[in-house]
Amino acid sequence: EVQLVQSGGGLVQPGGSLRLSCEASGFTLSTYWMSWVRQAPGKGLEWVANIKEDGSAQYYVGSVKGRFSIFRDNSKNLLYLQLSSLTAEDTAVYYCARDGPMGDLWGQGTLVTVSS
Amino acid sequence: QSVLTQPPSASGTPGQRVTISCSGSSSNIERYIVNWYKQLPGTAPKMLIHNDNQRSSGVPDRFSGSKSGTSATLAISGLQSDDEADYYCASRDSSLNAWVFGGGTKLTVL
């Protein structure tokens, strides 16, 4: 089955760090750009970052530049998002999404809550 | 405030045709393709339309997309109760060098 299965997330204190994972199955991860998209509680969708097929290029939304890092391990069919210097404004459900076109396949989402 | 502007709500009765607009600018919609997504509460979004007007696999032909200049439109004909959901448009933006979403439209089937 073609799917993206996410893990990670949870409760983290302000200023803390967290790593999200997204495992691809049923397709060859290395042939797709991949994105992370987040959704704050009761709010709309916000694109966060994407990464080229071979990991050689990454792009970020302005609000997370320098704090978040997207990377991938194609040999393990895994996509990651490293979150650091977290604030309450980063509280959201985070989705990984395949870009083939963008958002043609989504993970189930994982909740990140930043709170003391 | 989203870069792409959608009406916060829309509604229709079963069988009606409804449209949802997505307004952008020369740095996004006019220059790049537009995608549309449907999201049910508590679930991940699902792609409906890509490349302005191409239906994703399995999406019924009641759904159609169009674009003109700096605006795009999602049309849903033969409205059904299970069309009740949040709908989002998205496009790339050359000024931001990023993907941008509309704020979303909550569709209610009366």
Side-chain angles (χ1 to χ4, degrees), chain A residues 42-44, chain B residues 1-2 4-11 19-23 36 39 84-89 102-109:
Chain A
K43 302 298 184 182
Chain B
Q1 190 157 346
S2 304
L4 305 181
T5 301
Q6 297 181 235
S9 64
S11 64
T19 60
I20 297 173
S21 62
C22 176
S23 178
W36 288 92
Q39 186 180 33
E84 192 161 283
D86 293 325
Y87 292 84
Y88 294 90
C89 59
T105 298
K106 183 176 183 62
L107 175 63
T108 301
V109 180

Side-chain angles (χ1 to χ4, degrees), chain A residues 35 37 39 43-48 50 59-62 65 95 99 101-109, chain B residues 33 35 37 39 42-47 50-51 56 86 88 90 92 96-104:
Chain A
S35 286
V37 176
Q39 186 169 35
K43 302 298 184 182
L45 301 172
E46 180 185 34
W47 177 85
V48 173
N50 66 357
Y59 300 92
Y60 301 89
V61 69
K65 282 180 183 175
Y95 296 100
D99 188 344
M102 203 284 283
D104 73 324
L105 180 69
W106 296 72
Q108 82 277 17
Chain B
I33 58 91
N35 298 335
Y37 310 87
Q39 186 180 33
T43 69
K46 170 191 169 185
M47 174 172 277
H50 63 92
N51 288 29
S56 294
D86 293 325
Y88 294 90
R92 282 197 58 82
L96 300 173
N97 196 22
W99 279 88
V100 290
F101 283 91

Side-chain angles (χ1 to χ4, degrees), chain B residues 2-77:
Chain B
S2 304
V3 174
L4 305 181
T5 301
Q6 297 181 235
S9 64
S11 64
T13 56
Q16 264 191 334
R17 180 178 185 269
V18 297
T19 60
I20 297 173
S21 62
C22 176
S23 178
S25 70
S26 57
S27 65
N28 41 66
I29 290 179
E30 189 170 54
R31 182 173 299 196
Y32 298 106
I33 58 91
V34 174
N35 298 335
W36 288 92
Y37 310 87
K38 173 184 179 181
Q39 186 180 33
L40 295 169
T43 69
K46 170 191 169 185
M47 174 172 277
L48 293 174
I49 301 288
H50 63 92
N51 288 29
D52 299 338
N53 55 22
Q54 302 300 301
R55 276 186 302 277
S56 294
S57 177
V59 174
D61 58 8
R62 301 186 298 107
F63 292 86
S64 62
S66 63
K67 187 175 82 172
S68 178
T70 60
S71 293
T73 301
L74 174 70
I76 308 172
S77 60

